[in-house]
Amino acid sequence: MDYSYLTTPFLAWLFAGGIKFLINSVRARKLAFDLIGYGGLPSNHSAIVSSVVGLVAFKEGLEHPALGVAFALAFIVILDASSLRRQIGRQAEALNKLAAGCSESPVLRERMGHTPMEILAGIAVGLAVALVVHWVTLSIT
């Protein structure tokens, strides 16, 4: 049984998250556990969905119907990560500025969504993971 379709998105998430943690730790000059969450380079969401697109393309070919489904899902997730969640982060930033004088107001997370560069880095990570998984599964069989 081929478990690569289950393991590849998980590996892409793990690899992208590890890269993001390293980048954030270097920037903060400490282990950046407090920066784990939404936003940052590379985009975990983009890495996950692009790994599935890449794996379907590598294993099944460009004409397989599953590629269309994977691409549509990736498009929706990436669009959400780059636009809607980014706007939510900007809204949180504005609300935090308005509530700065209130001692009882909770601080909203401002780091939401992704820039185009973060999205592209996530896509690159996802496709790279899919390619490596494809090569490994070819060499095993």
Side-chain angles (χ1 to χ4, degrees):
M1 182 168 215
D2 185 6
Y3 290 105
S4 62
Y5 288 102
L6 292 175
T7 58
T8 301
F10 175 74
L11 291 172
W13 170 78
L14 194 63
F15 194 64
I19 292 171
K20 187 185 301 191
F21 180 75
L22 288 173
I23 289 171
N24 288 336
S25 294
V26 168
R27 285 184 181 163
R29 294 193 165 113
K30 64 176 183 141
L31 293 178
F33 291 109
D34 56 334
L35 295 176
I36 293 174
Y38 300 106
L41 181 117
S43 163
N44 283 29
H45 291 83
S46 299
I48 292 167
V49 293
S50 64
S51 73
V52 175
V53 170
L55 193 62
V56 170
F58 297 143
K59 290 175 91 59
E60 310 299 335
L62 297 178
E63 295 181 4
H64 197 277
L67 183 61
V69 174
F71 187 78
L73 174 66
F75 183 75
I76 291 167
V77 170
I78 290 170
L79 187 65
D80 176 64
S82 65
S83 63
L84 177 64
R85 289 191 312 119
R86 192 135 188 251
Q87 293 300 322
I88 291 170
R90 289 181 179 155
Q91 185 73 24
E93 184 179 350
L95 288 171
N96 284 338
K97 286 179 183 175
L98 285 173
C102 299
S103 61
E104 296 180 16
S105 65
V107 176
L108 301 173
R109 180 185 288 251
E110 296 176 6
R111 191 173 175 178
M112 300 284 288
H114 294 283
T115 65
M117 182 58 74
E118 294 167 345
I119 295 288
L120 289 174
I123 292 170
V125 167
L127 293 176
V129 169
L131 188 59
V132 168
V133 168
H134 178 61
W135 284 341
V136 168
T137 56
L138 279 179
S139 66
I140 291 174
T141 57

